[in-house]
């Protein structure tokens, strides 16, 4: 066939981008164009020597021949089909074949016109699509999580088999229904509103995030779920894929863990209380002795009063009674004070330790203990080494320690003559010992004689007329319970107590 034929019809045949062929009734190629040769991979001569049956894929030949048979028997003039040729090099090519029967003037079948289009690219894309669909379908179907695809109105498009395990529905029971069927009633009532708001504002509530929610099973019971929602668009329509994991077991475990933590904490509190009660037991004999003194004094005084009333005349008796009853009352107050201090000691703190910032705690203790300091001309100085100290402690107990020490300092300063320097210094900083910090409370009072350095920490040691002698012994027990120490530092002037405690950084 000439390369550039002049006749437009011949040119159309020769140069068309689709394969065009005239095929005899027996299948013999009569005329073929260049594209036809390109598609089949054969030269024109090779084609013209053979028949289409020889290069048609055996699997497609049957239906092709049936189609031809149909045309020859007068049922229709055209057919179209997709089929494969085996090319000259043995490879396969997918084509779309359209065949028209041309008849002779007398109506007898003459030959076929075949139009052949290469559709191998489209076929490859289709195969890819099918493979990809199969891949995603297998993930969807095999997922442990229940997955549901809904449209913009909440209508369920598809669900995977896992929904049955979590919700008790067969997948086919759900397709076409609204997703609300899987939600607790209270949330279901609002769900249309959520979708509508999202459509209107585009503000994603739950989309793209995981969230703990509840789902409703077929039997009406609720199930704890971890839900994540992804959104996608196809043909201008919005769809949402919800992935739901049953977390009821995890929730139950968490609740049990929380409960056992609570149990442990109350056990610890109980234990702390018990420890303090035991300490109280140790102190009990000392206390009994201490309370015995005022009680004996009360009894003696009351007896003296009684004796005076019986033995003396009225005026003398009332004067005597007044004195002894006052003494008895004072002693009763002292006994009461002892009991109160004791209750403070075993008292109300939970024994709970937390990570606390130290400086605010010192400031709170200072404000509490030194409220009357300015009135007494006492100057207070705070100093720290700039470290932001933290420690795991019982804040109430540490405050109690600091208040006791500061009150002692105030008591000591008040014994100084007027005009003497009255100063308290609270210094905080890291200790030389690694992992410890210290709070040092110094005063410019009369100080503590060397011979009393040990005694002051003993219960009921006091040099004060109204002192109980419990402050320092309580301080020592509380600090030691925190793994710390309290000691009296050597000073030239006044007294200085150093509390050292383990540090959390
Ligand atoms: N900063 C101080 N300066 C001088 N002496 C002190 C100082 N701190 C404590 N002492 C001495 O130690 C003693 C014991 O103190 P502690 O706090 O245990 O009991 P108290 O203050 O006497 O009575 P309370 O039970 O009311 O605290 C005090 O009586 C006092 O003699
Ligand atoms: Mg004291």
């Amino acid at each position: 066939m000439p390369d550039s034929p002049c006749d437009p019809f011949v040119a159309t045949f020769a140069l068309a981008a689709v394969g065009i062929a005239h095929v005899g009734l027996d299948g013999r190629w009569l005329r073929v164009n260049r594209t036809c040769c390109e598609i089949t991979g054969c030269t024109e001569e090779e084609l013209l020597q053979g028949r289409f049956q020889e290069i048609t894929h055996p699997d497609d030949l049957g239906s092709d021949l049936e189609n031809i048979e149909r045309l020859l028997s007068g049922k229709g003039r055209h057919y179209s089909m997709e089929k494969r040729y085996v090319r000259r090099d043995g490879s396969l090519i997918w084509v779309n074949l359209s065949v028209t029967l041309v008849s002779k003037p007398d109506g007898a079948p003459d030959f076929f016109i075949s139009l052949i289009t290469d559709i191998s690219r489209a076929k490859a894309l289709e195969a890819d699509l099918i493979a990809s669909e199969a891949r995603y379908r297998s993930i969807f179907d095999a997922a442990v999580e229940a997955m549901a695809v809904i449209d913009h109105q909440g209508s369920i498009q598809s669900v995977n088999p896992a929904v049955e395990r979590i919700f008790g529905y067969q997948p086919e029971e759900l397709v076409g229904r609204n997703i609300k069927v899987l939600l607790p009633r209270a949330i279901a009532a609002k769900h249309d509103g959520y979708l509508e708001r999202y459509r209107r504002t585009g503000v994603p509530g739950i989309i793209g995030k995981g969230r703990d929610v509840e789902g409703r099973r077929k039997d009406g019971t609720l199930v704890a779920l971890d839900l994540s929602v992804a959104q996608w668009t196809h043909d201008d329509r919005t769809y949402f894929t919800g992935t739901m994991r049953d977390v009821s077991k995890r929730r139950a475990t968490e609740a049990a863990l929380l409960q056992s933590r609570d149990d442990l904490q109350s056990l610890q509190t109980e234990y702390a209380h018990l420890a303090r009660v035991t300490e109280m037991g140790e102190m009990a004999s000392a206390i009994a002795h201490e309370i015995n003194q005022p009680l004996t004094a009360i009894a003696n005084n009351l007896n003296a009063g009684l004796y005076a009333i019986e033995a003396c005349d009225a005026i003398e008796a009332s004067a005597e009674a007044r004195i002894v009853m006052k003494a008895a009352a004072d002693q009763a107050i002292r006994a009461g004070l002892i009991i109160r201090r004791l209750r403070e000691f075993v008292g109300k703190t939970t024994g709970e330790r937390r990570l606390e910032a130290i400086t605010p705690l010192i400031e709170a203790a200072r404000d509490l203990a030194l409220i009357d300091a300015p009135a007494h001309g006492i100057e207070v100085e705070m100093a720290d080494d700039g470290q932001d100290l933290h420690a795991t402690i019982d804040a109430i107990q540490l405050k109690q320690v600091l208040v006791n020490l500061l009150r002692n300092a105030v008591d000591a300063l008040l014994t100084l003559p007027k005009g003497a320097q009255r100063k308290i210094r609270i210094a905080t900083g890291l200790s030389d010992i690694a992992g410890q910090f210290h709070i040092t409370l110094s005063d410019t009072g009369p100080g503590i004689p060397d011979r009393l350095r040990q005694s002051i920490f003993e219960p009921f040691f006091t040099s004060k007329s109204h002192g109980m002698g419990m402050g320092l012994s309580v301080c020592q027990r509380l600090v030691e319970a925190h793994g710390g120490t309290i000691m009296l530092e050597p000073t030239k002037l006044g007294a200085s107590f150093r509390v050292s405690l383990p540090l959390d950084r």
Side-chain angles (χ1 to χ4, degrees):
M1 197 172 293
D3 257 2
S4 302
C6 300
D7 181 319
F9 288 106
V10 176
T12 306
F13 184 90
L15 303 176
V18 292
I20 307 177
H22 291 174
V23 178
L25 298 180
D26 59 351
R28 196 165 290 282
W29 300 97
L30 305 175
R31 273 173 289 277
V32 293
N33 71 354
R34 189 185 302 162
T35 308
C36 195
C37 296
E38 282 164 9
I39 289 174
T40 57
C42 302
T43 62
E44 188 178 346
E45 292 72 38
E46 283 167 343
L47 281 177
L48 295 182
Q49 279 166 22
R51 300 187 307 156
F52 78 82
Q53 291 88 330
E54 287 151 14
I55 61 164
T56 296
H57 190 282
D59 291 350
D60 301 332
L61 188 56
S63 48
D64 203 356
L65 293 176
E66 274 171 29
N67 283 325
I68 284 185
E69 203 49 50
R70 224 166 24 83
L71 295 194
L72 293 176
S73 61
K75 294 182 195 133
R77 290 176 49 80
H78 312 278
Y79 74 88
S80 277
M81 67 180 288
E82 289 181 354
K83 68 176 229 178
R84 286 159 291 179
Y85 286 124
V86 183
R87 303 178 84 234
R88 179 90 168 85
D89 63 6
S91 61
L92 298 182
I93 186 166
W94 273 100
V95 297
N96 188 300
L97 172 70
S98 291
V99 177
T100 308
L101 175 63
V102 181
S103 303
K104 292 181 185 155
D106 64 1
D110 192 358
F111 63 94
F112 300 108
I113 301 173
S114 297
L115 293 184
I116 305 159
T117 320
D118 176 0
I119 56 165
S120 46
R121 245 181 78 81
K123 276 286 177 191
L125 281 176
E126 189 184 304
D128 279 356
L129 213 64
I130 289 169
S132 151
E133 154 72 12
R135 230 178 3 251
Y136 285 107
R137 167 65 56 184
S138 73
I139 296 170
F140 188 72
D141 285 351
V144 187
E145 290 91 356
M147 295 172 96
V149 178
I150 61 169
D151 69 5
H152 66 292
Q153 289 178 318
S155 168
I156 298 175
Q157 309 294 299
S158 61
V159 290
N160 70 348
V163 288
E164 190 186 345
R165 195 173 34 78
I166 297 180
F167 292 98
Y169 285 101
Q170 298 284 333
E172 52 277 15
E173 286 179 88
L174 289 172
V175 174
R177 295 178 72 179
N178 195 288
I179 190 72
K180 288 186 278 187
V181 69
L182 299 181
L183 305 177
R185 288 185 209 290
I187 296 179
K190 296 183 195 155
H191 196 256
D192 285 344
Y194 293 155
L195 285 173
E196 152 64 16
R197 195 185 55 203
Y198 178 59
R199 271 201 301 278
R200 216 168 1 93
T201 66
V203 178
I206 192 172
I207 295 160
K209 305 172 202 157
R211 183 175 287 187
D212 282 347
V213 296
E214 281 189 317
R216 180 157 51 104
R217 295 196 186 93
K218 190 176 180 182
D219 62 11
T221 56
L222 298 180
V223 52
L225 297 173
D226 178 277
L227 167 70
S228 57
V229 179
Q231 179 208 323
W232 47 281
T233 324
H234 178 63
D235 272 352
D236 284 343
R237 297 183 65 170
T238 303
Y239 296 89
F240 303 95
T241 303
T243 306
M244 295 154 278
R245 185 145 33 103
D246 180 350
V247 290
S248 39
K249 278 207 190 88
R250 193 186 74 196
R251 293 265 183 87
T253 315
E254 279 169 3
L257 211 67
L258 228 60
Q259 178 62 41
S260 67
R261 213 175 289 159
D262 279 358
D263 288 352
L264 191 70
Q265 203 153 51
S266 59
L267 214 70
Q268 274 172 346
T269 311
E270 194 80 339
Y271 176 75
H273 188 75
L274 212 70
R276 301 168 105 228
V277 170
T278 312
E279 284 179 35
M280 190 188 83
E282 280 170 19
M283 291 174 84
S285 58
I287 292 159
H289 172 72
E290 197 66 14
I291 292 181
N292 206 28
Q293 283 178 0
L295 288 180
T296 312
I298 292 167
N300 287 345
N301 280 306
L302 290 176
N303 280 332
L306 272 178
Y307 176 76
I309 290 166
E310 280 165 10
C312 308
D313 65 55
I315 295 172
E316 221 177 317
S318 103
E320 182 67 20
R322 194 168 298 135
I323 294 168
V324 292
M325 283 169 76
K326 168 88 174 70
D330 285 351
Q331 291 301 324
I333 288 168
R334 182 173 162 77
L337 273 177
I338 293 175
I339 301 290
R340 203 161 69 225
R341 289 299 296 271
L342 196 69
R343 286 186 58 189
E344 271 172 31
F345 178 44
V346 260
K348 271 279 161 213
T349 77
T350 56
E352 199 175 302
R353 293 187 187 174
R354 293 213 185 90
L355 189 63
E356 304 274 358
I358 297 305
T359 307
L361 210 138
I362 294 175
E363 286 166 355
R366 175 200 62 192
D367 294 346
L368 200 68
L370 302 182
I371 191 159
D372 55 349
H376 294 303
I378 297 172
E379 184 193 338
V380 181
E381 183 191 327
M382 301 263 294
D384 67 43
D385 61 359
Q387 305 275 348
D388 185 18
L389 299 174
H390 284 77
T392 302
I393 47 164
D394 180 330
I396 296 177
Q397 290 182 344
L398 186 59
K399 236 186 282 175
Q400 198 180 343
V401 168
L402 298 177
V403 168
N404 273 342
L405 293 173
L406 290 170
R407 284 314 305 177
N408 280 349
V410 171
D411 289 345
L413 291 173
L414 290 183
T415 65
L416 294 178
K418 262 210 165 123
Q421 190 201 20
R422 294 176 170 179
K423 184 171 170 184
I424 297 175
R425 185 168 192 273
I426 310 171
T428 324
L430 291 176
S431 298
D432 298 337
I433 303 169
Q436 290 209 346
F437 72 99
H438 66 89
I439 306 170
T440 305
L441 303 104
S442 325
D443 62 66
T444 54
I448 294 153
D450 274 350
R451 62 188 163 81
L452 296 182
R453 293 180 78 86
Q454 292 304 319
S455 322
I456 53 168
F457 288 101
E458 282 164 16
F460 300 109
F461 174 87
T462 183
S463 61
K464 302 171 192 171
S465 55
H466 295 292
M468 215 64 69
M470 285 175 71
L472 287 177
S473 78
V474 167
C475 288
Q476 191 173 43
R477 281 160 200 269
L478 293 182
V479 170
E480 285 174 359
H482 278 80
T485 55
I486 178 167
M487 46 182 262
L488 187 59
E489 292 201 303
T491 45
K492 286 201 189 84
L493 176 69
S496 179
F497 288 88
R498 185 183 177 98
V499 177
S500 302
L501 286 165
L503 193 67
D504 271 43
R505 302 269 266 155

